[in-house]
Amino acid sequence: MREYDEITSFLGTWGRFQKMVFFSLAFSILPNGFVGIYIVFVADTPPHECLIPEESNISESWRNVSIPLVEQDGQVKRSSCSRYSLEHLRNFSLLNYVPDVDVNVSQIQQESCLDGWKYSKEIYQSTIVTEWDLVCDNEYKVPLTSSLYFGGALVGTFLSGLMSDRLGRRPMLFVMMVVQTVATFAQIFSNSWEMFAAVYFLFGFGSIANYLIAYVLGCETLGPVERVVFSSMGVFMSSALGYMAMPAAAFLLRQWQWLVGAMVASGLLYVPLWWLIPESPRWLLSRGRVEEAEAILRNAARMNKVTVPQVIFTPDEIGNFLGNKEKTYSILDVLRSISVSSVVGICSLLWMVITLGYNSLILNTSNLSGSPYLNAFLSAAVEAPAYVIALLLLKFCSRHVCQSSTLLLGGTVILFIRFIPADFPGLAIAFEMLGKFGITAAFCVVYSVTSELFPTVVRNTAMGICSMAARVASILSPYIIYLGKSHKFLPYIIMGSLAIFGGLLCLLLPETYGKVLPETITEMQTMKGLKRNKAPNPDIGHHQYVQKEAKF
């Protein structure tokens, strides 16, 4: 029996329809790349120290030594969280005592920043850190803010995966777009960190989910030739372009409310896509909605100016698709088979390793030496060649080579950063960007590998499970960077070691290079590298499997 790609081959390749779907879905990801990292600037912590009020009646000489010196990362700096007792300083000032001549400053009692903080405005006019004093005892709220965002993404990707498998890819795609835009708009009116964090959770609910749904929709709608390009140069490259635009916007808009306002404006790009993005014909067939699927394919044929077969789907093929509709698939169906659940487990671990490294490296750009705007742009720019390399690897190499080579490269380079002397910050940044290159390419590849492993009837659910596992890693990523405050190189050791582990783990997955996308769970179970069930589902016979394998 013919596969879906064989049935729809009459559409040709790279016709007007395929280009419309490709560029519309790619365009839908531009705002995701644009808004995805703005927290790097909105929640950055500028240099700060305790505020010494002008009315404190302290002479200039004592004001200059009012902040204790502390050692941090081998350097002596002014403390950010303590000051010498203003009462003592005021008394010494009134007595005309001279610091370190009449009084040893280091012996004066210290106190916390009772009058708040003074923040440098050299880089930012305002951030949520300066807005609500998220420093010292409250500095834990900064990584917590990002973790809440990723927590929202966890819930959103899980629920949207289930709903898009049941209700359709297209409607859930636009629902998530609306959630993302509305939540971003609401952030502007936050009057406390708690309100900002709650809305940011809702923003995360929609922002990652529409990315994932768009990816699945494109893979299911496009043919084999376009699919490989879409999986690397489509949504991923579009995200990178949006990502590269973000540092420029942050450089021009240095007050956090204005920057968030620019994020809201980017949501207007979604509006025209309603008339351009179709539903997935493959999904419609899996739900038994044959007439709707045929209508989309006939419209695609008119756009491509090709002849439509008199009969697109034969009665037997329709019966096969309708047979898949008789059962509503759930997570239990994905996990019931030991062999299939092991693939889910390995893919989930890969997603966690890659996402942890990818998000940690993004969040770390503001901690690197030099301009945070330039560092963020470099982090974004390195993604473009990474996606080109991923495309070439996916097109010409086995999936084992694609996944393992990129992870091993990224992990090895990141581990090597700890050996670079502190006198060469530029070299450290170059190695970090090379590591980001490898992890980014691995991120692109793992989407393709996962979508090729799972069948249409549960593909979005399976992708949702993997993405949910990735969100767990995302929740931890801000705290991986936070560990750098106590041990500078500990984040690099963790990220590099896990990436190398993932590069070896992926070799356990079945090889999908050159194979057709499975339509049913049984077809997935009969893939080479998976143990077949003793009593396979009758929706595909052994002879059909052998015939398909013989084609490759």
Side-chain angles (χ1 to χ4, degrees):
M1 190 172 296
R2 295 182 302 169
E3 297 291 341
Y4 176 85
D5 288 335
E6 183 180 355
I7 295 172
T8 58
S9 61
F10 66 89
L11 293 175
T13 59
W14 289 116
R16 184 183 172 190
F17 173 77
Q18 289 94 335
K19 291 178 182 178
M20 180 190 72
V21 173
F22 182 98
F23 288 108
S24 296
L25 288 174
F27 191 74
S28 76
I29 304 302
L30 268 173
N32 283 61
F34 190 56
V35 306
I37 62 146
Y38 77 88
I39 196 65
V40 172
F41 301 108
V42 167
D44 197 10
T45 303
H48 58 280
E49 60 183 41
C50 291
L51 177 65
I52 308 299
E54 292 295 333
E55 61 275 10
S56 57
N57 295 324
I58 297 175
S59 66
E60 190 65 26
S61 60
W62 283 103
R63 183 181 294 274
N64 291 336
V65 297
S66 59
I67 305 298
L69 298 178
V70 296
E71 185 175 346
Q72 183 179 358
D73 296 331
Q75 297 181 345
V76 177
K77 302 178 180 179
R78 290 166 68 91
S79 174
S80 300
C81 298
S82 62
R83 67 187 184 187
Y84 289 119
S85 170
L86 293 192
E87 182 180 355
H88 292 170
L89 296 181
R90 188 180 301 111
N91 292 335
F92 293 136
S93 179
L94 292 175
L95 293 172
N96 293 320
Y97 285 173
V98 178
D100 289 333
V101 175
D102 298 318
V103 180
N104 188 335
V105 177
S106 62
Q107 296 177 351
I108 302 176
Q109 182 180 350
Q110 297 184 19
E111 61 186 14
S112 59
C113 301
L114 302 178
D115 296 297
W117 288 262
K118 179 177 67 175
Y119 297 94
S120 169
K121 293 191 176 183
E122 181 180 355
I123 299 177
Y124 308 105
Q125 288 300 308
S126 70
T127 68
I128 64 171
V129 173
T130 65
E131 184 87 6
W132 297 301
D133 290 331
L134 307 182
V135 293
C136 300
D137 291 342
N138 287 321
E139 68 178 351
Y140 73 92
K141 293 181 180 180
V142 176
L144 180 57
T145 304
S146 296
S147 292
L148 289 171
Y149 161 76
F150 290 123
L154 187 155
V155 178
T157 51
F158 176 69
L159 293 180
S160 66
L162 294 176
M163 298 304 292
S164 63
D165 276 338
R166 293 176 182 271
L167 303 178
R169 314 314 196 199
R170 183 175 180 271
M172 289 308 301
L173 175 64
F174 285 96
V175 167
M176 293 299 106
M177 289 175 177
V178 171
V179 170
Q180 173 182 302
T181 305
V182 171
T184 309
F185 180 70
Q187 278 187 313
I188 299 175
F189 304 98
S190 301
N191 55 19
S192 66
W193 172 81
E194 288 76 13
M195 179 178 177
F196 181 93
V199 178
Y200 200 42
F201 176 91
L202 185 61
F203 169 76
F205 185 95
S207 63
I208 303 295
N210 66 23
Y211 190 105
L212 184 64
I213 296 172
Y215 182 88
V216 172
L217 178 56
C219 288
E220 292 183 349
T221 305
L222 298 171
V225 175
E226 303 92 355
R227 188 182 303 135
V228 174
V229 182
F230 176 78
S231 63
S232 55
M233 300 296 288
V235 293
F236 288 104
M237 185 62 76
S238 182
S239 175
L241 293 175
Y243 184 0
M244 282 188 276
M246 164 53 60
F251 180 81
L252 296 173
L253 304 171
R254 302 199 181 197
Q255 290 185 317
W256 73 266
Q257 292 95 337
W258 285 102
L259 183 57
V260 174
M263 307 301 101
V264 178
S266 69
L268 297 175
L269 299 176
Y270 291 134
V271 176
L273 300 178
W274 176 262
W275 293 275
L276 298 176
I277 298 176
E279 181 57 273
S280 164
R282 192 187 291 262
W283 176 83
L284 290 170
L285 287 169
S286 73
R287 306 302 295 176
R289 294 159 62 175
V290 181
E291 292 183 359
E292 295 176 60
E294 286 189 340
I296 293 175
L297 294 174
R298 292 184 186 279
N299 180 60
R302 285 193 296 271
M303 293 180 65
N304 290 354
K305 298 181 180 180
V306 297
T307 303
V308 184
Q310 186 174 0
V311 177
I312 298 179
F313 302 103
T314 66
D316 289 341
E317 290 164 347
I318 293 175
N320 183 48
F321 287 120
L322 289 176
N324 296 334
K325 177 179 177 287
E326 293 176 359
K327 180 179 178 180
T328 300
Y329 293 90
S330 66
I331 295 177
L332 295 178
D333 296 290
V334 178
L335 303 179
R336 184 171 288 118
S337 167
I338 295 177
S339 57
V340 176
S341 61
S342 65
V343 173
V344 174
I346 294 174
C347 287
S348 296
L349 283 174
L350 282 175
W351 280 60
M352 292 180 72
V353 167
I354 295 170
T355 304
L356 180 70
Y358 181 80
N359 286 320
S360 296
L361 289 171
I362 287 179
L363 294 174
N364 195 47
T365 54
S366 60
N367 296 326
L368 301 176
S369 60
S371 168
Y373 305 109
L374 178 59
N375 291 334
F377 176 78
L378 292 175
S379 179
V382 78
E383 294 196 359
Y387 295 139
V388 173
I389 292 298
L391 169 63
L392 296 175
L393 289 173
L394 289 169
K395 190 172 183 179
F396 298 109
C397 300
S398 73
R399 300 302 180 246
H400 287 162
V401 172
C402 296
Q403 195 72 84
S404 63
S405 62
T406 52
L407 279 170
L408 292 175
L409 170 65
T412 303
V413 172
I414 291 171
L415 275 178
F416 191 79
I417 293 176
R418 66 189 298 264
F419 300 108
I420 299 176
D423 296 336
F424 298 92
L427 183 61
I429 292 175
F431 269 75
E432 179 150 342
M433 296 308 160
L434 182 58
K436 173 78 183 311
F437 171 90
I439 297 297
T440 300
F443 203 109
C444 177
V445 171
V446 78
Y447 266 78
S448 182
V449 169
T450 307
S451 64
E452 291 174 353
L453 280 168
F454 294 101
T456 302
V457 290
V458 293
R459 182 171 293 115
N460 227 64
T461 298
M463 294 281 284
I465 293 174
C466 294
S467 186
M468 183 176 67
R471 291 325 108 198
V472 174
S474 298
I475 292 171
L476 298 175
S477 60
Y479 292 98
I480 296 295
I481 300 303
Y482 191 68
L483 291 174
K485 291 184 175 293
S486 58
H487 191 300
K488 182 178 179 180
F489 295 108
L490 186 57
Y492 296 113
I493 295 173
I494 295 174
M495 289 186 287
S497 300
L498 288 176
I500 292 174
F501 167 74
L504 299 176
L505 180 68
C506 68
L507 299 177
L508 299 177
L509 288 172
E511 182 57 65
T512 59
Y513 179 61
K515 301 294 190 295
V516 296
L517 290 178
E519 299 291 343
T520 66
I521 292 178
T522 304
E523 288 185 28
M524 177 187 175
Q525 291 171 327
T526 55
M527 292 172 63
K528 186 176 181 180
L530 282 177
K531 182 180 179 181
R532 294 183 60 193
N533 286 353
K534 294 182 179 180
N537 194 306
D539 58 0
I540 179 171
H542 176 65
H543 67 284
Q544 294 170 329
Y545 167 70
V546 172
Q547 289 174 354
K548 286 195 299 179
E549 286 290 293
K551 296 178 182 179
F552 301 98

